[in-house]
Amino acid sequence: MSRERRELKQVSPEKPFGMYCCGPTVYGPAHIGNFRTFLLQDVLRRTLEVDGIKVRHVRNITDVDDKTIRRSQEEGKTLAEFTAAWTKKFHDDCAALNMLPPQVEPSAVEHIPLQIAMIEQLVARGNAYVAPDGSVYFKVSSDPHYGKLARLDRDALRTQSTNSNGDANVADEYTRDNVSDFALWKARKPEDGPNFWQSPWGEGRPGWHIECSAMSTHYLGETFDLHGGGIDLCFPHHENEIAQAECSCGHHDTFAQHWFHSAHLMVDGAKMSKSLGNLYTLADLEGKGFSPMAVRYALISGHYRSQLNFTLKSLDDATAALEKIEKAARKLLDKAGITPEEFSQDITVHEQNTAWGAFEPAWTALCDDLNIPGAIGKIFSAFAELNKTELSQADAGTQLCGLAKILSALGIRLFTKQEAAPADIPAEIVALGEQRWAAKQARNWAEADALRNKLAELGWKSLDRKDGYSLEKI
Ligand code: AMP
Ligand code: ZN
């Protein structure tokens, strides 16, 4: 909001840190651009928790909007069964990417009365009006604070109620050049099918923006600590969230106290998005042999305020970097007499330990505007330094505590691969694996993909590294 770096302060230190993030619209698989944003939020939450701050993380599920309604009807499914299936897929991907589940994950459909109540308050306070068809619009000119987050030209907004064509604005998404009164409640239309709810203004459904204002303040209070989302949500979604929430209670500057907008994941200079079709899902990348942990590493490895260009090479690099970290960690484990399993599992013991050892600079980087690339660089510097030092068994144990804590903040888990012993792999599978690896080396993607599918049919998958691969039972 201030366009300045400010210290992250809690509104009420005695309460958990309230963090609201706009969640997925569940009408298809989330792509890795979406996951870049969700993963950065996960790292922020983990960092706060490693610092000893209790976090209350709320992330909504958008399960009623133009897209979910249209797609469910195209597939002949009820909205509930259609969105439940995509919500489950989203949860599965989140778990594979080692994301912590939010404490509250409210669905828009399950909170319609809450949204209606907020719209009623806006109408009562003169910030919203009912159109002849029974739709309700937010009156932008009624709010002298409107535009403060996106820094819109207030003078231009004073008289504007319709869009540039002179029409009422029924769209949920529009550009800043097309600001106008926006829909809070949409009167029932034939294309909505059975998806409508009763309201004081007749049958209809909520607009998109109102769900986040209603659910964030319901679960976190009128004022909460931080609100997150991709940078595309800054306008109009977050601007509208502020207007709805603050006008409905009549107090300004009360909504989110910090905004955490993450820059986009890009492909060849364009934002990765469903509409451009330039996307990858987690399943696409797993199909190419990359582990979810490598995907996580690649997606968090750029600074949250900078765009990140996605390439398959970045996943090769991530795979190699993870192997390097595992190798260096293994050396420390051997010295400390700790097994990789104990290291990966015993996170509570690590959290009780306050020592950072050689990983202190990595932690400092993370605490400075969530500088993840800086922190990763410092992890490698720490290993280089430790390599030059003679460590006792106790020293190695202390260093491992620091390593465990920084990896826990980044959500990176080591030693997750369960490689099959070569003797357990049937000869036919070994041969297919060899052929596939050769095709991949020759950059013959079509053949490599076909062989991967064949392996999958037989119940096997290949885990690829920069310098080789291993085969694993699915
Ligand atoms: P959606 O499911 O479309 O509502 O988006 C979910 C989240 O992903 C929102 O916070 C978006 O801002 C974010 N998002 C969408 N595309 C990208 C991208 N290419 N890079 C980063 N974040 C994105
Ligand atoms: Zn939202």
Side-chain angles (χ1 to χ4, degrees):
M1 180 85 79
S2 67
R3 309 305 200 262
E4 278 170 14
R5 284 169 61 147
R6 290 194 177 171
E7 196 181 335
L8 190 60
K9 283 201 188 125
Q10 259 177 282
V11 182
S12 316
E14 70 284 359
K15 283 203 317 197
F17 185 95
M19 170 167 169
Y20 183 88
C21 300
C22 296
T25 310
V26 281
Y27 70 110
H31 59 72
I32 56 166
N34 302 135
F35 278 118
R36 174 175 204 227
T37 289
F38 296 134
L39 282 165
L40 289 168
Q41 293 159 353
D42 185 60
V43 176
L44 174 62
R45 167 178 165 189
R46 285 166 169 277
T47 301
L48 293 167
E49 288 180 347
V50 169
D51 203 22
I53 296 165
K54 203 169 166 359
V55 179
R56 183 164 159 87
H57 180 194
V58 182
R59 186 181 63 211
N60 66 308
I61 297 279
T62 297
D63 51 3
V64 52
D65 77 329
D66 294 347
K67 291 177 278 201
T68 45
I69 289 179
R70 196 178 56 240
R71 290 281 175 89
S72 62
Q73 290 180 343
E74 281 165 8
E75 293 188 17
K77 293 182 176 145
T78 64
L79 184 65
E81 78 184 303
F82 175 80
T83 56
W86 287 117
T87 303
K88 170 158 190 332
K89 176 76 187 124
F90 176 69
H91 287 156
D92 290 348
D93 285 355
C94 289
L97 289 166
N98 198 28
M99 285 164 57
L100 297 170
Q103 281 87 353
V104 192
E105 203 172 31
S107 111
V109 166
E110 285 166 17
H111 292 78
I112 302 264
L114 207 65
Q115 299 176 62
I116 290 177
M118 187 171 265
I119 299 171
E120 282 185 295
Q121 275 172 324
L122 288 168
V123 174
R125 286 179 173 274
N127 295 108
Y129 56 90
V130 187
D133 72 345
S135 294
V136 185
Y137 291 91
F138 184 88
K139 190 174 174 185
V140 168
S141 63
S142 73
D143 177 10
H145 303 269
Y146 189 87
K148 64 184 176 181
L149 178 67
R151 306 220 161 160
L152 302 177
D153 177 358
R154 298 254 173 82
D155 291 338
L157 300 177
R158 210 160 285 148
T159 52
Q160 237 159 270
S161 63
T162 55
N163 68 21
S164 54
N165 292 329
D167 300 325
N169 178 12
V170 288
D172 285 329
E173 292 170 69
Y174 45 90
T175 65
R176 40 191 300 146
D177 301 326
N178 228 337
V179 187
S180 56
D181 294 353
F182 57 91
L184 300 169
W185 184 260
K186 298 184 176 190
R188 180 181 171 188
K189 291 193 300 280
E191 54 268 36
D192 291 339
N195 304 302
F196 60 87
W197 289 264
Q198 301 296 336
S199 81
W201 319 285
E203 292 166 343
R205 62 181 168 100
W208 171 41
H209 310 292
I210 193 77
E211 67 182 68
C212 287
S213 303
M215 300 196 290
S216 60
T217 51
H218 178 72
Y219 286 105
L220 295 172
E222 205 172 85
T223 299
F224 55 92
D225 293 295
L226 179 136
H227 194 314
I231 189 69
D232 54 301
L233 297 189
C234 178
F235 184 82
H237 186 54
H238 290 161
E239 192 68 55
N240 294 353
E241 277 190 42
I242 298 173
Q244 296 163 149
E246 294 189 350
C247 290
S248 70
C249 71
H251 304 134
H252 289 280
D253 301 322
T254 47
F255 197 54
Q257 296 302 293
H258 302 90
W259 288 89
F260 181 55
H261 285 132
S262 31
H264 285 144
L265 186 69
M266 310 291 285
V267 184
D268 298 329
K271 175 191 168 198
M272 182 176 286
S273 65
K274 277 198 182 114
S275 52
L276 291 177
N278 58 353
L279 56 84
Y280 284 102
T281 63
L282 181 60
D284 294 335
L285 299 174
E286 282 191 282
K288 292 193 183 302
F290 296 108
S291 70
M293 203 37 76
V295 176
R296 179 179 178 109
Y297 186 103
L299 292 176
I300 64 170
S301 61
H303 196 282
Y304 78 88
R305 278 188 285 98
S306 307
Q307 291 180 344
L308 182 70
N309 197 42
F310 178 74
T311 58
L312 289 179
K313 184 178 172 300
S314 69
L315 292 177
D316 280 331
D317 294 346
T319 308
L322 284 169
E323 276 174 19
K324 225 171 133 182
I325 296 176
E326 279 187 353
K327 213 166 139 189
R330 217 178 267 274
K331 267 194 187 170
L332 286 173
L333 289 169
D334 288 346
K335 262 192 203 149
I338 299 173
T339 66
E341 292 72 35
E342 284 166 338
F343 176 75
S344 307
Q345 283 163 17
D346 206 8
I347 204 71
T348 45
V349 175
H350 303 309
E351 277 167 2
Q352 282 159 16
N353 193 312
T354 50
W356 281 100
F359 298 96
E360 176 107 49
W363 175 243
T364 306
L366 208 52
C367 294
D368 181 8
D369 200 19
L370 204 73
N371 184 355
I372 302 175
I376 290 176
K378 297 290 182 197
I379 291 176
F380 285 108
S381 317
F383 282 134
E385 184 195 315
L386 291 172
N387 231 350
K388 288 186 267 167
T389 324
E390 201 49 56
L391 293 175
S392 68
Q393 183 173 7
D395 289 342
T398 306
Q399 296 297 345
L400 280 167
C401 287
L403 176 64
K405 284 197 296 177
I406 195 77
L407 292 179
S408 163
L410 294 171
I412 293 175
R413 282 174 54 203
L414 302 181
F415 313 115
T416 52
K417 281 184 225 153
Q418 288 150 8
E419 295 174 14
D424 297 339
I425 309 175
E428 179 197 5
I429 303 297
V430 174
L432 283 172
E434 280 298 300
Q435 288 168 28
R436 187 186 157 274
W437 180 251
K440 196 180 164 198
Q441 294 310 295
R443 307 191 87 75
N444 188 346
W445 302 116
E447 191 182 339
D449 281 352
L451 288 161
R452 172 192 27 97
N453 291 340
K454 209 161 168 189
L455 274 169
E457 274 168 30
L458 297 168
W460 289 79
K461 70 176 175 187
S462 175
L463 297 169
D464 295 4
R465 299 182 300 268
K466 206 164 190 173
D467 56 347
Y469 68 99
S470 50
L471 293 164
E472 185 186 273
K473 265 200 166 144
I474 294 171

